[in-house]
Every structure is written in C-alpha cells, then in structure tokens.
Amino acid sequence: MPTHFLPEFESAVQRGDVHRAVSIQGKGISAKLSNSPLPDPVFHAMVRILAISAGISVPVLVVYGSDSDEFYAVMAKALSAQLLYGRCTAVAGADHGALDRAPGGLISQLSDFFTGAS
C-alpha cells in the first residue's frame, strides 16, 4: 500500500478538512484516481455515506468488483467494518461498473444475501 500521500492526508485531517482528506487518500491509494481533480464529487458522496453509516442497525452487504481498482476494495471493506451488521464481498470477474450491468455474479451475491444463504 502506498504511503507517499500520508503527510498531506494527516494535514487535512488535522485541519478538519474531511473532504480533502478523503480525496487525498483515494488518490494516494489508487493509480487510476491519481489523474482526477481534487476534490472529486464521488468522495463527497462517500464521506456523506460514511458519516451516516454509524446509525445503521440492519444487515448491509457491501460489494465491490474483483477487477476494480484496489481502492474500491479498501473502501468497501472499511465501510462494512463500520457497520454493526456489515458484510463485504467481491463480485468475481466484475469491475466498478458491475452495478450498471448487473452480471450474474452480482445477482448471485445479492440473492444469497437477501435469502440468508452464505
């Protein structure tokens, strides 16, 4: 895992600039995100989701594509770990766009989750 971004990340955290900190972290972890402008609107949405996740007390399945950039796996695992009944899993052979195309692997993961199968 890269660490070159940590000084700038820590500085943003100390200033209380959460959006900037999340953007820096994402760009530091992901080579694909390193060319996107700061702050990326996706990170604003992610911060809002993380901020409200503490109050969720029902089972939640957090999925990411196994072929997605590593950043998405890191974030999915971090988010599910913050949830009381969070579960995280990779959709085999899918990339970050799997939700739009709903491949069989995603449907299978969702079906298992909603029916209580492991």
Side-chain angles (χ1 to χ4, degrees):
M1 179 85 46
T3 59
H4 65 280
F5 64 93
L6 289 177
E8 187 178 1
F9 171 77
E10 290 176 20
S11 175
V13 169
Q14 289 173 355
R15 290 190 317 272
D17 190 347
V18 176
H19 290 106
R20 176 98 176 134
V22 173
S23 295
I24 292 166
Q25 178 188 24
K27 290 169 70 81
I29 292 171
S30 171
K32 290 180 184 175
L33 293 175
S34 65
N35 294 325
S36 65
L38 281 174
D40 187 305
V42 171
F43 293 110
H44 290 289
M46 184 178 63
V47 169
R48 287 192 299 275
I49 290 168
L50 290 172
I52 63 169
S53 67
I56 298 173
S57 60
V58 296
V60 175
L61 178 65
V62 181
V63 297
Y64 63 93
S66 66
D67 294 345
S68 293
D69 192 67
E70 182 182 355
F71 168 77
Y72 295 105
V74 170
M75 291 309 300
K77 291 173 185 176
L79 176 58
S80 67
Q82 296 301 311
L83 298 166
L84 184 60
Y85 300 106
R87 189 170 117 203
C88 185
T89 188
V91 178
D95 63 12
H96 188 62
L99 294 176
D100 294 329
R101 293 182 285 283
L106 177 60
I107 299 302
S108 176
Q109 294 278 5
L110 293 173
S111 177
D112 289 350
F113 177 74
F114 288 118
T115 61
S118 296

